[in-house]
Amino acid sequence: MSLALVAPVVLAQTPQQGGRPQPIQPESWQIVVLANQARAAQGAGPLQWDPALAEAARQHCLRMAAEGPISHQYRGELDVSGRAGQAGAHFSLIEENVAYASTPVAVHEGWMHSQGHRENLLNPRVDRVGVAVVASRGMLYAVADYERAVPVLTQAQVEAGITGLLHARRVSVLRDAKLARAACATDSGIPRSSSGLQARFIMRWQDSDLTYLPQALLDNIASGQYRQAAVGSCPTQGQEGSFTAYRVAVLLYGTPNTNDLKPIY
């Protein structure tokens, strides 16, 4: 078996494409099937096909075939994060395996017998994959990009999700998000409301996972001092690379005054 590998790439961030679907190469799909069989044997969930990742993998695979020696990045080329983001992928973690072998089975076996590549392929944190295979010089060049996908949300969807988490904590949320959105766009301070209702605590954060509230916010809610909040989302700040994340601000108020702003329950 002829096989060439280079060290796998893993990039992570800590706290569907439109148009006509493209057909999946049989060789690429064979690599996905083999990967999912291996993942099932290890108790990891199956990888779903991601067209944006597949396009990023295809572009890099073409470059590998043109260059000859395989690599994760060539001169003048974006890294795997930049390539995937440019192709339209949304992720909080991204990994890449590359290989040069005689068959799709040889590609898979080579990755499974290389610790770093095996860890990428079996990583339970990734849930999407895109694979490209290019035949050149009588061999196959292969690229597999794996990601932890992040849903694409509008500002209103982000705010609605956080509102739901606050309701579960028995905190009502004000209808007007303008003040919280303004607070989200700043780095410090608690903006004053023209209504006279003044927030006593503010929490700003950005993350790709909006299924939970930060512990500092939960601790303040648990204190029993706050029963009303305002939620606002805004563009992320200081975001590096092409990772997807959302920025949120939550303002906490004391016991609601019915003469102030009307809450949503």
Side-chain angles (χ1 to χ4, degrees), residues 82-253:
R83 295 193 300 267
Q86 190 175 69
H90 294 269
F91 48 88
S92 58
L93 179 150
I94 189 161
E95 308 172 337
E96 182 175 77
N97 283 354
V98 299
Y100 171 77
S102 56
T103 67
V105 172
V107 170
H108 174 74
E109 290 182 351
W111 288 341
M112 289 296 290
H113 288 88
S114 168
Q115 182 177 351
H117 297 86
R118 178 186 173 91
E119 290 174 354
N120 278 357
L121 193 154
L122 298 179
N123 188 349
R125 296 178 61 199
V126 299
D127 53 17
R128 301 285 182 89
V129 66
V131 179
V133 176
V134 173
S136 180
R137 304 176 184 88
M139 297 290 284
L140 298 179
Y141 291 81
V143 176
D145 289 340
Y146 313 91
E147 71 176 9
R148 177 73 177 182
V150 174
V152 181
L153 304 174
T154 65
Q155 182 183 48
Q157 288 172 326
V158 171
E159 293 168 356
I162 299 301
T163 294
L165 295 176
L166 290 168
H167 285 173
R169 298 280 173 171
R170 304 183 66 82
V171 176
S172 63
V173 177
L174 303 177
R175 291 184 182 276
D176 191 349
K178 291 181 181 178
L179 191 64
R181 288 175 178 174
C184 179
T186 63
D187 290 326
S188 61
I190 301 178
R192 299 191 65 84
S193 170
S194 59
S195 70
L197 185 65
Q198 180 60 29
R200 297 165 56 194
F201 175 83
I202 183 169
M203 184 77 205
R204 299 177 180 87
W205 77 98
Q206 56 191 49
D207 203 332
S208 57
D209 185 354
L210 299 181
T211 61
Y212 67 94
L213 298 173
Q215 189 60 48
L217 180 58
L218 291 174
D219 291 344
N220 274 272
I221 293 172
S223 72
Q225 300 178 61
Y226 309 104
R227 289 292 179 266
Q228 193 174 51
V231 176
S233 178
C234 62
T236 57
Q237 298 181 11
Q239 185 74 10
E240 295 184 3
S242 299
F243 296 96
T244 297
Y246 300 99
R247 184 172 172 85
V248 184
V250 171
L251 305 177
L252 292 182
Y253 302 88

Side-chain angles (χ1 to χ4, degrees), residues 4-57:
L5 295 172
V6 297
V9 163
V10 184
L11 297 175
Q13 169 189 277
T14 57
Q16 303 300 333
Q17 295 305 296
R20 183 174 301 173
Q22 297 298 313
I24 301 173
Q25 294 173 287
E27 297 86 357
S28 296
W29 188 244
Q30 185 178 0
I31 290 173
V32 175
V33 170
L34 291 169
N36 278 336
Q37 290 173 351
R39 289 172 64 85
Q42 295 296 318
L47 298 170
Q48 298 181 28
W49 184 263
D50 188 292
L53 282 185
E55 175 59 21

